[in-house]
Amino acid sequence: MGAVAAARDDSELMLRVKAGDKASFDLLLDRYRAPVVGFLYRMVQNQAVAEDLAQEVFLRVYRARAGYEPVARFTTWLFRIATRVALTWLRDGRREQGQESVDDEHAGAAVREIADGRPSVEQTLVCEARLEEVRRAILALPGKQRAAVLMHKYEEMEYSQIARVLECSESAVKSLLFRAYENLRARLAHMA
Amino acid sequence: MNCPVRSEGRGESLLEYCAGRLDASKAAALEAHLEACPACRDFLANQEAVWHALEAWEAPPVSPGFDQRVYRMMERESPSAWWERFRTAWRRPAVPLAATAALLLVAGILSYRPAPAPEQPAQAVEIEQVERALEDLDMLGQWSGAEHAL
Ligand SMILES: [Zn+2]
């Protein structure tokens, strides 16, 4: 399904949720569970926190159903809620209050994916060290830069949509992404 | 074309080229420029390194109980008709403190009913509903006003 068809479909589903159809909510949850949790995981870098925040996002979507109007893409609205929830969590510094932010439990998950066959211990260690660097580089970005990069890279959003999610101008997004990638290049370019 | 690194575009075309999202004609123009511009070649090589490094970072799978937890939150939330009416009726600025307090008390009393979920005692449900009432009032800017009056 093309992006435009999916967008129309999402809005239609949400309008059905508004009309009281819970099955349409199930479909939206099924479609966006992984992208929303994944985005929040990369924002806060703790899977348990990411899932809690994602639940809050879907609950807010459900709560707001009565006032939903398909003026923007559903994903714009969804990621606007997700970004706000994440930025609020980061701003409140909840990770300082006993929440260990960087989640080591899942550190090896991607290593198993990228290494072919059965990686040697050395290969695994090298991969883990590289991933750790990536995670720390992302974590070092200010919240809005981080959100912009994650939406650009992993959600494959265009500048215009990122601007609508972050409620800023497209030129502000250009500047956010330029600075964010500049920071990342300074820290990660040696990994080539 | 203008050099994307030195122009006002803030490297956008190079970032999009690296992401594989530049249309064919723009990509061709950029490739011609790259031939002649070491600064852009440098920028692109470093950006590609970052891009591939980010590619390797996968998010862990979502826990199997995720949907159930969302549905549980929605059920707890599920407003009965009176609650919806209450919210609509009182969605106005500056509710006097006494009225707010009285409504919260009524909310507490009305929400006292047999436990809807077996694992959840009635009292917990009641407390939660009152808490949510407070939260909603807070969101409407009413509770903070009432607090101020104290
Ligand atoms: Zn150039």
Side-chain angles (χ1 to χ4, degrees):
Chain A
M1 183 164 35
V4 175
R8 195 177 53 227
D9 198 27
D10 289 344
S11 299
E12 273 165 23
L13 286 173
M14 195 57 212
L15 286 172
R16 276 183 230 158
V17 174
K18 181 180 179 175
D21 177 24
K22 257 187 160 179
S24 294
F25 184 83
D26 299 350
L27 288 173
L28 286 170
L29 181 60
D30 195 46
R31 194 173 288 171
Y32 292 108
R33 179 198 308 111
V36 169
V37 174
F39 170 73
L40 290 166
Y41 168 73
R42 291 185 176 105
M43 282 297 285
V44 303
Q45 304 206 7
N46 177 303
Q47 182 70 358
V49 172
E51 291 193 5
D52 283 351
L53 296 179
Q55 279 155 29
E56 196 182 324
V57 170
F58 286 110
L59 188 67
R60 281 175 189 231
V61 166
Y62 187 69
R63 262 187 204 161
R65 66 195 180 283
Y68 177 77
E69 294 297 338
V71 284
R73 270 193 218 181
F74 174 76
T75 48
T76 301
W77 187 56
L78 183 67
F79 277 88
R80 188 180 295 161
I81 299 173
T83 303
R84 277 191 200 163
V85 163
L87 291 178
T88 302
W89 189 87
L90 294 168
R91 187 200 59 208
D92 291 354
R94 270 181 261 181
R95 61 181 223 242
E96 263 83 62
Q97 295 162 19
Q99 287 271 22
E100 183 48 50
S101 180
V102 175
D103 192 348
D104 289 322
E105 192 188 328
H106 299 283
V111 175
R112 286 188 291 277
E113 297 290 330
I114 55 170
D116 286 331
R118 295 169 61 176
S120 70
V121 174
E122 266 168 58
Q123 279 172 324
T124 305
L125 287 177
V126 169
C127 283
E128 271 177 15
R130 287 165 69 102
L131 276 176
E132 188 54 29
E133 257 190 277
V134 170
R135 284 147 46 104
R136 296 213 176 272
I138 292 282
L139 204 57
L141 296 175
K144 267 196 164 179
Q145 283 187 30
R146 197 186 309 174
V149 160
L150 297 180
M151 285 186 273
H152 182 254
K153 172 72 186 91
Y154 299 102
E155 310 310 321
E156 303 187 9
M157 282 188 198
E158 289 169 5
Y159 284 49
S160 56
Q161 193 182 5
I162 297 172
R164 281 194 292 276
V165 170
L166 296 178
E167 295 167 281
C168 63
S169 67
E170 254 187 83
S171 72
V173 169
K174 274 183 197 180
S175 170
L176 271 177
L177 283 175
F178 181 81
R179 279 182 283 137
Y181 282 121
E182 194 175 40
N183 282 328
L184 294 177
R185 285 193 301 275
R187 293 180 71 127
L188 301 175
H190 68 91
M191 288 168 77
Chain B
M1 74 182 287
N2 289 329
C3 174
V5 166
R6 293 193 180 89
S7 72
E8 283 303 294
R10 315 230 70 184
E12 183 186 357
S13 57
L14 285 163
L15 296 180
E16 293 309 278
Y17 180 78
C18 176
R21 298 174 205 160
L22 209 57
D23 67 49
S25 65
K26 283 183 185 164
L30 182 63
E31 279 161 6
H33 174 78
L34 281 164
E35 293 283 318
C37 182
C40 281
R41 283 201 300 274
D42 248 26
F43 183 108
L44 185 63
N46 290 336
Q47 179 63 21
E48 277 171 346
V50 167
W51 199 253
H52 292 133
L54 295 180
E55 209 111 274
W57 186 28
E58 298 206 348
V62 181
S63 318
F66 182 83
D67 289 8
Q68 292 317 310
R69 295 205 298 276
V70 173
Y71 293 137
R72 238 185 345 256
M73 284 167 87
M74 281 163 55
E75 267 162 38
R76 267 187 241 149
E77 178 105 345
S78 178
S80 52
W82 69 267
W83 175 242
E84 204 67 292
R85 278 200 301 276
F86 158 72
R87 282 167 53 122
T88 326
W90 290 89
R91 197 163 285 195
R92 286 186 267 146
V95 175
L97 176 62
T100 310
L103 277 163
L104 289 172
L105 189 65
V106 171
I109 293 163
L110 285 179
S111 65
Y112 192 83
R113 54 188 173 191
E119 76 272 21
Q120 213 171 21
Q123 207 184 352
V125 175
E126 181 191 348
I127 290 167
E128 257 183 38
Q129 288 189 353
V130 173
E131 272 173 0
R132 265 203 315 283
L134 285 170
E135 199 190 328
D136 277 356
L137 284 172
D138 192 23
M139 269 167 33
L140 296 170
Q142 295 176 344
W143 183 245
S144 52
E147 225 172 21
H148 207 68
L150 282 170

